[in-house]
Amino acid sequence: GPQVLAMQNATTLRATGLPITGDVTFSTSGIVNGITGATYNSSQYGLNSAPTGYTYLANPYACPIVFDSIYNNSSNIKAFYYYIDPTIGSTGAYVSYNATSHVSSNGANYGKYIQAGQGFLIGNTSSSPVVVLKEAYKATGANIRTSVFGASTPNSMIVLSLLKSGGSTSQKMDGAVVVFGRQFTNGLGDEDNTKFSNASDNLSITESGHNLSIDGRLPATTSDVLGICLGQLSGTKYQLSLDASTYNGNGLTPYLVDAFTKKTTALNIGINAIDFTVDSTISTSFQNRFSLVFKPTTLSVNSIVLNVTAIEIGANINWNIVGENSVSKYEVEKSNDGKSFIKIGEEEAKNTTTASYVAIDKVEILTTTYYRIKAVSIDGSITYSNVVILTTNHLALITIYPNPLVGRKLTIDFNKVVAGKYVLSITNVLGQKVTERTIIHKGGNGTHFINIEGTIVKGVYNIIISSLESKQTIHQIKLSVQ
């Protein structure tokens, strides 16, 4: 009968027998369990011996395992693997995870944790691959199973998604990601994943003549041009979604170039949705149509330093401006996920050398909430402030002063903060850590003093205070050093 690529009904899988424990080693000669010593027939269970072959494996444990640990302790295998996500499109799509760049091709790092019984496809780098699974690679924690492949994301990346429109709804068909880091290269490397084509509707990034689902690159420059490849399109109306929520270009703004319509669009922080139509009789309507380029950011202000503090109900929002230049207005934006922001207020610009603005969010903080300021210039160009995070403990107030800082001594006032150990980190605009200190707080109100010991010069720095145990950020501000 016809091949069925997507499940149409809910399916329950049940396992019987004793759970597998101890080390499990896969090689071309079979599978060996370290506790039982059992070896399984190589012709049926051994790894593919082709130098560039692939093998489907399954997590044998009744517990998630970390692929990063598997890759670091195995031999002659590629730094990435694939799995099929049946929720994408109507036939499913291949998603990949890379243990060097630590991202998935859908941008969510779904592959760090391989779930119990999950199948995954690995590739060889020689004819003698060995995959080693150990008890030590098992992952424990409260959140690793609720979001099937959940993990944190890198600091700078752009996530691309291809959606096909159908009536009033759109369906995600495929995805790819560009991740930037000084440890990567602009040629093919371990941080890159080659594209596995789906049955239809493919999206990838072109690099050195190869199509990639993950492209690890050096930080962007003005000479970079990243080709976006579309293939096997099955419809006519599509949307290209580009999530630049975690992109940090150090002064360069990404632009999407549409060679078919001759239109260039600057990508804002957050999700950018570009609708487009494909005509199968016109190849330029899809082939080599889109690309990403990077241009210097035109700033309508020299500096926006945002501070947000929780009040009894809501939040007090204050931002200080240096060097206003033909600014029309400031919009206060709010988000519950740090990606999709909505406007909650607006202030007319004063257009003075320095200025301060205040707004109040009168909605009670019931979940982790993100704030930012959007500066809109007279010519329509946009500048964003830093993003400040308020946690669900909306009664907790943290004040850091003096700001601007003169000297090396910071005072941190904790008000209604639960007892625990907290980490204060200070980084410069390049993301380099200047200092990190542990604060032991006995609960309630308290004042703590920090002497900055690292190299610190005049400029703007980022201060983050997070829980040592949960790693959750509880306060974040920009610090101006005079």
Side-chain angles (χ1 to χ4, degrees):
Q3 184 181 13
V4 178
L5 298 179
M7 290 184 180
Q8 303 300 320
N9 301 293
T11 302
T12 301
L13 301 178
R14 294 184 177 88
T16 60
L18 296 175
I20 295 176
T21 58
D23 298 348
V24 178
T25 302
F26 298 83
S27 67
T28 56
S29 60
I31 308 172
V32 177
N33 180 260
I35 288 183
T36 64
T39 301
Y40 298 91
N41 184 285
S42 62
S43 63
Q44 185 175 359
Y45 299 105
L47 298 180
N48 190 330
S49 61
T52 58
Y54 285 84
T55 306
Y56 256 122
L57 301 180
N59 176 7
Y61 299 130
C63 180
I65 50 178
V66 180
F67 179 73
D68 296 26
S69 300
I70 298 171
Y71 170 69
N72 291 332
N73 293 278
S74 298
S75 58
N76 301 324
I77 66 169
K78 294 180 179 179
F80 55 86
Y81 79 92
Y82 298 93
Y83 70 95
I84 295 178
D85 185 344
T87 66
I88 298 178
S90 59
T91 59
Y94 283 100
V95 177
S96 57
Y97 171 80
N98 191 297
T100 300
S101 49
H102 306 294
V103 294
S104 289
S105 57
N106 58 4
N109 268 6
Y110 284 167
K112 181 177 182 179
Y113 301 114
I114 300 175
Q115 299 300 297
Q118 179 194 338
F120 56 103
L121 184 65
I122 62 163
N124 301 344
T125 58
S126 83
S127 59
S128 303
V130 176
V131 176
V132 179
L133 309 183
K134 292 180 176 289
E135 290 280 339
Y137 305 164
K138 292 181 176 180
T140 59
N143 298 320
I144 62 173
R145 290 181 299 275
T146 54
S147 180
V148 179
F149 304 103
S152 60
T153 56
N155 289 330
S156 183
M157 67 181 185
I158 300 175
V159 180
L160 298 87
S161 299
L162 177 66
L163 295 87
K164 184 169 69 172
S165 301
S168 60
T169 62
S170 295
Q171 184 179 26
K172 182 177 178 181
M173 305 305 295
D174 204 5
V177 63
V178 185
V179 57
F180 302 90
R182 297 189 182 278
Q183 71 274 33
F184 301 146
T185 67
N186 284 351
L188 291 181
D190 287 343
E191 67 273 13
D192 302 314
N193 285 25
T194 52
K195 172 66 179 176
F196 251 39
S197 292
N198 307 313
S200 66
D201 299 293
N202 284 274
L203 168 69
S204 59
I205 301 157
T206 303
E207 171 74 80
S208 303
H210 297 269
N211 292 332
L212 306 177
S213 55
I214 297 176
D215 185 11
R217 300 181 56 84
L218 289 167
T221 68
T222 54
S223 61
D224 287 346
V225 179
L226 305 185
I228 299 173
C229 181
L230 303 175
Q232 292 80 44
L233 300 182
S234 61
T236 58
K237 294 183 178 181
Y238 287 89
Q239 182 181 92
L240 189 62
S241 173
L242 303 101
D243 185 352
S245 301
T246 59
Y247 171 76
N248 178 8
N250 293 324
L252 294 182
T253 297
Y255 287 78
L256 179 70
V257 177
D258 187 337
F260 185 67
T261 63
K262 311 300 182 183
K263 183 178 180 181
T264 299
T265 304
L267 302 188
N268 296 323
I269 297 175
I271 297 176
N272 301 259
I274 310 296
D275 294 318
F276 66 99
T277 301
V278 170
D279 185 340
S280 60
T281 64
I282 305 175
S283 61
T284 53
S285 70
F286 55 93
Q287 289 182 358
N288 303 318
R289 175 171 178 169
F290 294 106
S291 60
L292 285 173
V293 298
F294 303 85
K295 300 179 182 181
T297 302
T298 302
L299 299 177
S300 55
V301 294
N302 292 335
S303 173
I304 308 176
V305 178
L306 172 65
N307 290 282
V308 182
T309 55
I311 56 180
E312 194 69 27
I313 297 180
N316 184 73
I317 304 163
N318 174 271
W319 63 101
N320 298 312
I321 306 296
V322 176
E324 288 176 313
N325 181 22
S326 300
V327 181
S328 172
K329 61 183 178 180
Y330 296 98
E331 296 181 358
V332 182
E333 296 188 339
K334 177 180 178 179
S335 171
N336 290 327
D337 60 7
K339 297 181 179 180
S340 300
F341 284 81
I342 61 171
K343 175 183 171 182
I344 63 169
E346 181 179 305
E347 293 289 334
E348 183 178 351
K350 301 175 183 177
N351 283 306
T352 57
T353 303
T354 60
S356 295
Y357 300 86
V358 177
I360 302 294
D361 181 10
K362 297 182 180 180
V363 178
E364 185 176 4
I365 308 298
L366 298 176
T367 184
T368 300
T369 306
Y370 304 78
Y371 293 91
R372 71 182 183 190
I373 301 300
K374 177 181 178 180
V376 182
S377 68
I378 294 174
D379 64 7
S381 61
I382 294 171
T383 303
Y384 288 96
S385 73
N386 56 299
V387 176
V388 174
I389 306 171
L390 288 187
T391 62
T392 53
N393 184 4
H394 60 282
L395 296 179
L397 301 175
I398 297 178
T399 306
I400 300 177
Y401 58 91
N403 190 5
L405 174 66
V406 178
R408 289 179 166 268
K409 189 172 182 178
L410 276 176
T411 301
I412 300 94
D413 283 344
F414 279 14
N415 182 15
K416 298 181 180 179
V417 177
V418 297
K421 293 183 179 180
Y422 298 88
V423 177
L424 180 144
S425 298
I426 301 178
T427 57
N428 60 23
V429 293
L430 298 178
Q432 298 167 329
K433 188 178 297 182
V434 174
T435 191
E436 185 173 271
R437 298 287 297 276
T438 299
I439 298 173
I440 300 176
H441 184 61
K442 295 181 179 180
N445 302 340
T447 300
H448 306 273
F449 303 98
I450 298 293
N451 289 313
I452 302 175
E453 298 174 352
T455 301
I456 189 165
V457 297
K458 183 178 179 180
V460 177
Y461 295 79
N462 191 35
I463 296 182
I464 295 178
I465 299 178
S466 58
S467 167
L468 181 63
E469 180 179 4
S470 68
K471 310 301 181 185
Q472 182 184 29
T473 297
I474 66 169
H475 193 70
Q476 178 176 332
I477 68 166
K478 293 289 184 181
L479 174 70
S480 177
V481 175
Q482 301 298 315

